Amino acid sequence: MTAHPALIEWPGDASDAAGLALWTSAEIATATGGRASAPFAVSGVEIDSREVREGDLFFALKGEASDGHRFLDGAFGKGAAGAAVEHACFGPHVLVSNTATALEDLGKAARLRADAGIIGVTGSAGKTGVKEALYAALDRSSRGRAHRSVKSYNNHVGVPLSLARMPAATRFGVFEMGMNHAGELSALTQLVRPHVAIVTTIAPAHIGHFSGEEAIADAKGEIFEGLEPGGVAIVPHDNAHYERLRAKAALHAARIVTFGQHADATVRLIDAVPAVGGGTLVTADLGGRKVCYTIAQPGAHWVANSLAVMAAVEAIGGDLGAAGLALAEMEGLAGRGARHTIAASGGDGSGAALLIDESYNANPGSMAVTLQQLGQTPAKRRIAILGAMRELGADEARYHAELAGPIAQGKVDRLILVGPEMVALADALGKKPGSSLAAPIDVAHVDNTKEAQACLAADGVRGGDAILVKGSNSVGLGALVRALTAREQ
């Protein structure tokens, strides 16, 4: 049987003429001002020799504690097609004066050559989820020609690396940008040069490096400085620092789009109700046009995130239907809401418990919304394993103590606090020796992840449990999640 040509042929696209290689040695040398030892072509770019795949270009970066040149043997042994180096080596390479500068230059060249719609995402919380949802939506509607920064590659090394990995034929690029000091986003956004720039929310993350939340809002607002002419700024209307963000956006954006529940929001939430099987059914007004879609991820924070996603997809000229499908299918990210069913005994007799992995980061705002969602999660028993929140500065004790309220909203039955910073919360809950307060829940305070794991094991994981694991990444609760998911069903 002969298939009809219309069923087997994609429509033509000018970018189809682009070469299959990500970069040739000549292109790398031109972009970086370097000198190629021999002709070669690469299919990827990597900075960690342990992660090198066959065909990659390995950048031998020099850091404070290590020098990538020491790992050239390992990189070539794993199949690297070439390397960017500061001194000649035995394998195919491009010789540059400074590998860090060369990586940035290659990222700039990638951004310059791609005729793509570019979205930049930042915020105190939700930026990785929004980035992933945008990528899923735009990749679905562009024949697989969307690109995004992977993992949390959002700093002065991760952003140029993510740019350098962008193929010439890319139609849409989505880049996450992070910061913990003023001025960092200003530099990153000048590299990315987004057509659409999003601030998801402002909260006291990394506040130890700032004078207050206003200063955090100013630093996050730096993302608008890199907007291309005619660019769109997307701002959270419900945030306490909305006016400050909008004023910053007005200096650089041709158009400002707002999202939230506020009556004046450009992309406005009309209704959000629990969906069958979990998640939320959302109805939103996109400036006179109503859309209805389902979000697989539970929680009010994901409702807000979805509005930002819809605003960005419309602003960049994407497909709103594809965005709705992406949100409906999107699973939780590792360390950022992934849900696992793990084996359990006793309890309700189901033989299973729910593990909610939020182990990658934590700040007062994200702790509050995650605990609130735990309280709405059906469970016979709710266990929260909470790690310390880092980089909170002089008000660290207060921020930890104030989690007592969200813990009550979370309907927590068993609480394990991890890290010395959590002593303030233990005190607020009445568990500090000599306190007159009575704790309505079972609370344990331990120093580290290993002790937290032993504490949980002593009590056991029971059928019907819902276990939330959340804390700053440096606390190391990811190890506890990996130990628990080893028994995943």
Side-chain angles (χ1 to χ4, degrees):
M1 185 178 75
T2 302
H4 192 283
L7 298 179
I8 61 175
E9 294 179 6
W10 286 100
D13 190 292
S15 61
D16 290 337
L20 295 178
L22 179 63
W23 295 103
T24 65
S25 54
E27 291 169 337
I28 298 165
T30 298
T32 62
R35 185 174 71 252
S37 66
F40 62 88
V42 302
S43 55
V45 182
E46 187 53 73
I47 60 173
D48 186 338
S49 62
R50 297 166 298 184
E51 300 292 330
V52 166
R53 293 183 294 182
E54 188 171 354
D56 277 350
L57 171 69
F58 173 62
F59 266 84
L61 298 180
K62 290 183 176 179
E64 294 181 4
S66 65
D67 182 348
H69 293 81
R70 293 170 47 206
F71 306 104
L72 285 166
D73 287 352
F76 282 117
K78 296 192 77 170
V85 295
E86 294 180 14
H87 50 76
C89 66
F90 63 91
H93 62 270
V94 174
L95 186 65
V96 299
S97 58
N98 183 287
T99 49
T101 301
L103 177 60
E104 187 172 304
D105 289 339
L106 193 62
K108 290 177 181 177
R111 174 65 183 87
L112 184 64
R113 73 177 181 177
D115 183 19
I118 304 295
I119 302 174
V121 185
T122 194
S124 298
K127 54 185 176 290
T128 300
V130 167
K131 178 254 297 181
E132 290 294 327
L134 282 168
Y135 168 75
L138 297 171
D139 197 56
R140 180 187 289 266
S141 62
S142 65
R143 295 172 47 193
R145 292 188 177 181
H147 174 78
R148 94 291 205 186
S149 48
V150 298
K151 301 181 181 179
S152 287
Y153 286 177
N154 61 19
N155 62 8
H156 67 287
V157 175
V159 169
L161 174 62
S162 298
L163 284 166
R165 290 171 166 176
M166 181 165 60
T170 297
R171 291 273 307 279
F172 298 103
V174 189
F175 297 91
E176 178 181 338
M177 288 175 266
M179 63 90 209
N180 54 23
H181 291 86
E184 291 178 338
L185 271 178
S186 182
L188 296 177
T189 191
Q190 298 295 340
L191 292 175
V192 174
R193 292 171 28 227
H195 298 100
V196 177
I198 306 169
V199 175
T200 58
T201 190
I202 301 298
H206 310 296
I207 199 167
H209 300 299
F210 295 91
S211 59
E213 283 192 32
E214 294 82 0
I216 293 175
D218 291 341
K220 293 294 186 184
E222 292 173 8
I223 194 173
F224 303 130
E225 295 175 10
L227 276 169
E228 290 284 84
V232 179
I234 299 179
V235 178
H237 208 314
D238 299 336
N239 192 267
H241 305 286
Y242 163 70
E243 295 293 347
R244 200 175 192 96
L245 288 170
R246 187 182 181 97
K248 178 68 174 180
L251 299 175
H252 307 282
R255 183 162 65 99
I256 299 174
V257 174
T258 66
F259 66 93
Q261 299 184 50
H262 194 283
D264 295 332
T266 315
V267 177
R268 180 174 61 87
L269 177 66
I270 297 174
D271 194 24
V273 297
V276 176
T280 308
L281 180 64
V282 174
T283 305
D285 184 342
L286 274 66
R289 180 163 52 136
K290 293 182 180 179
V291 295
C292 187
Y293 55 91
T294 299
I295 311 169
Q297 293 302 300
H301 57 300
W302 258 108
V303 173
N305 288 347
S306 76
L307 298 176
V309 169
M310 288 295 183
V313 168
E314 184 173 55
I316 206 69
D319 186 325
L320 291 174
L325 291 172
L327 288 165
E329 295 175 357
M330 187 170 175
E331 297 181 351
L333 306 174
R336 295 181 172 90
R339 294 187 165 215
H340 305 271
T341 300
I342 61 175
S345 60
D348 64 1
S350 64
L354 171 66
L355 173 64
I356 305 169
D357 176 16
E358 291 273 1
S359 61
Y360 190 80
N361 55 28
N363 61 58
S366 66
M367 278 284 199
V369 296
T370 306
L371 283 163
Q372 182 184 43
Q373 183 57 40
L374 178 64
Q376 298 171 4
T377 301
K380 184 175 180 63
R381 185 178 63 154
R382 296 180 182 86
I383 301 172
I385 304 172
L386 305 182
M389 301 179 291
R390 300 277 162 81
E391 298 184 359
L392 294 181
D395 288 330
E396 172 187 280
R398 175 175 64 83
Y399 283 121
H400 283 87
E402 288 176 350
L403 291 178
I407 286 169
Q409 291 183 326
K411 302 175 183 176
V412 176
D413 301 295
R414 173 91 165 113
L415 179 65
I416 302 174
L417 305 176
V418 187
E421 299 92 338
M422 280 293 188
V423 69
L425 177 55
D427 188 12
L429 292 169
K431 281 299 176 181
K432 183 176 179 180
S435 173
S436 61
L437 296 176
I441 57 178
D442 182 9
V443 182
H445 181 210
V446 299
D447 289 333
N448 53 55
T449 296
K450 185 176 182 179
E451 292 180 6
Q453 187 172 346
C455 190
L456 180 65
D459 191 40
V461 177
R462 306 174 192 170
D465 283 351
I467 306 169
L468 168 66
V469 180
K470 186 168 180 64
S472 289
N473 189 43
S474 58
V475 177
L477 289 177
L480 174 59
V481 171
R482 289 189 292 274
L484 291 172
T485 52
R487 58 200 285 177
E488 191 170 359
Q489 292 188 334

